[in-house]
Amino acid sequence: MALENVLVYNFASGDNTYPHSGTFTVGVAGQVTIDDSNGSDDGVFGDFTHTGGADVPDQDVSASSVSGINVGDTIDLRYKYTITGSDGSNGTIYFVATNNAANYGPLFVSNQPLDPAVTYTFGTFNTDGAVAYARLVPCFTSGTWIETAKGPRLIDSLKEGDLILTRDNGFQPMRWIGRCTVPAAGKTSPVHIAAHVLGNDRGLLVSPNHRMLIEAAIADMYFGERELLVSAKHLLTTPGITRRVGGMVTYIHILFDEHQVVLANGAYSESFFPGPVGLNSLAHETRQEVLELFPELRSNTPKGFEQTARMCLTQKEATVLQQLVA
């Protein structure tokens, strides 16, 4: 079954009716999961009235957190605009319709992450909205739900200072949030954790080195701890955990005053740990942003980051753990 997760945006301000012009800002409407599996152009988010229209009846919504898009709806794209952002970015947005109706316009998807703090300007228009799913923003960053003091919230809507639920210390203020977009290929391709495999209530995409919390009573006999952190890439032998390759992926890092375990899509996993490996994985500009926030990282380990929130297993240890709990 070809299930595709797609982030959906809406208009926060600006011209939200066709034909669009001028400037606008965005909000995050939520995410949809599309069952596109009849064997005809299953890799394309089709346009009912233009290219890819033959496959549209198969584009069924199997899950949705978007108001106005319901499970069981048929979904397609109708037209697109190029856009430029006040931050110097550029991309293309594609407008969403449901149930073969001309109800498109308020909701759209994008081939790049969109920032609610940026003002975008409409550019060129094309009636053909069909686009490969792989070119759209995947749901790791903008589709991951984080448990907060206000309940579950999409990660891309979080801001510094928001109170996030942690496993060990209750609600803690988030000190920093950062993003990086890379090709979903090779070592940077994300790991997909199917719903309910690690307690998650929906599919979850994480970076290969992102560590998930594994709890097992038998682990205490072998590692001296019941709860352990294991890199996602070391869990690939677990049924339901696979690599996702193709297109681009945007990873989001959230940082606290110390390493924390948080709830993402109902599963426990780590916050960003700014050790040497973690810092070196960041782009130069992002790394500088973290160093400005925690200047002591330039020369030593700051208080709160002397150790990780749980014992972190090596690949060999992770293999042993999986054999124990199998």
Side-chain angles (χ1 to χ4, degrees):
M1 185 165 58
L3 294 179
E4 303 289 349
N5 295 312
V6 180
L7 173 70
V8 180
Y9 294 96
N10 54 20
F11 289 98
S13 66
D15 184 359
N16 64 358
T17 58
Y18 176 84
H20 306 276
S21 62
T23 61
F24 64 99
T25 59
V26 305
V28 176
Q31 70 175 21
V32 294
T33 300
I34 303 170
D35 179 0
D36 194 345
S37 57
N38 70 349
S40 173
D41 288 332
D42 292 343
V44 176
F45 197 169
D47 181 329
F48 180 72
T49 57
H50 300 93
T51 302
D55 189 47
V56 168
D58 183 49
Q59 293 174 178
D60 302 314
V61 176
S62 60
S64 174
S65 61
V66 180
S67 176
I69 299 179
N70 303 307
V71 173
D73 285 349
T74 299
I75 191 170
D76 75 288
L77 303 177
R78 294 299 175 88
Y79 60 94
K80 62 187 177 186
Y81 277 90
T82 60
I83 60 170
T84 56
S86 57
D87 60 347
S89 62
N90 59 77
T92 304
I93 58 176
Y94 307 80
F95 289 83
V96 175
T98 58
N99 302 321
N100 301 338
N103 55 358
Y104 45 84
L107 300 173
F108 51 93
V109 297
S110 173
N111 70 341
Q112 65 159 11
L114 301 180
D115 188 341
V118 171
T119 298
Y120 296 95
T121 301
F122 286 106
T124 58
F125 166 77
N126 193 306
T127 55
D128 186 354
V131 62
Y133 290 110
R135 292 185 57 192
L136 299 175
V137 177
C139 72
F140 167 75
T141 56
S142 301
T144 300
W145 293 87
I146 302 296
E147 195 68 32
T148 77
K150 297 182 179 180
R153 289 178 56 190
L154 286 167
I155 193 170
D156 65 304
S157 71
L158 299 179
K159 297 179 176 61
E160 284 84 355
D162 284 344
L163 294 176
I164 310 300
L165 180 63
T166 69
R167 187 168 176 85
D168 302 318
N169 300 293
F171 294 106
Q172 292 293 312
M174 186 175 65
R175 292 288 307 278
W176 173 81
I177 183 168
R179 297 166 174 82
C180 64
T181 300
V182 296
K187 293 182 178 180
T188 61
S189 59
V191 173
H192 179 259
I193 302 169
H196 311 301
V197 170
L198 295 181
N200 45 312
D201 52 20
R202 66 189 75 193
L204 177 65
L205 277 177
V206 296
S207 64
N209 291 312
H210 187 87
R211 291 176 289 225
M212 305 299 298
L213 185 75
I214 306 298
E215 180 179 4
I218 195 171
D220 193 31
M221 297 175 56
Y222 288 83
F223 302 104
E225 294 187 24
R226 183 189 181 98
E227 296 183 350
L228 303 159
L229 288 171
V230 181
S231 296
K233 65 183 181 183
H234 295 155
L235 294 170
L236 288 170
T237 58
T238 301
I241 300 181
T242 56
R243 285 275 196 177
R244 284 286 179 90
V245 179
M248 304 293 289
V249 60
T250 300
Y251 294 120
I252 286 187
H253 313 278
I254 59 175
L255 180 67
F256 299 87
D257 283 320
E258 58 185 340
H259 196 218
Q260 299 286 0
V261 174
V262 300
L263 270 175
N265 285 7
Y268 283 107
S269 63
E270 67 171 343
S271 64
F272 182 65
F273 185 73
V277 174
L279 284 175
N280 290 336
S281 70
L282 301 178
H284 175 73
E285 184 176 325
T286 305
R287 183 165 58 250
Q288 291 305 116
E289 186 177 350
V290 174
L291 292 175
E292 288 177 8
L293 184 64
F294 294 92
E296 59 268 40
L297 285 170
R298 298 180 186 275
S299 57
N300 52 52
T301 303
K303 183 179 180 181
F305 295 105
E306 294 90 350
Q307 62 183 26
T308 55
R310 298 291 189 282
M311 177 183 177
C312 300
L313 299 191
T314 64
Q315 183 174 5
K316 289 183 178 180
E317 291 170 334
T319 300
V320 171
L321 176 63
Q322 290 177 84
Q323 293 171 344
L324 293 173
V325 300

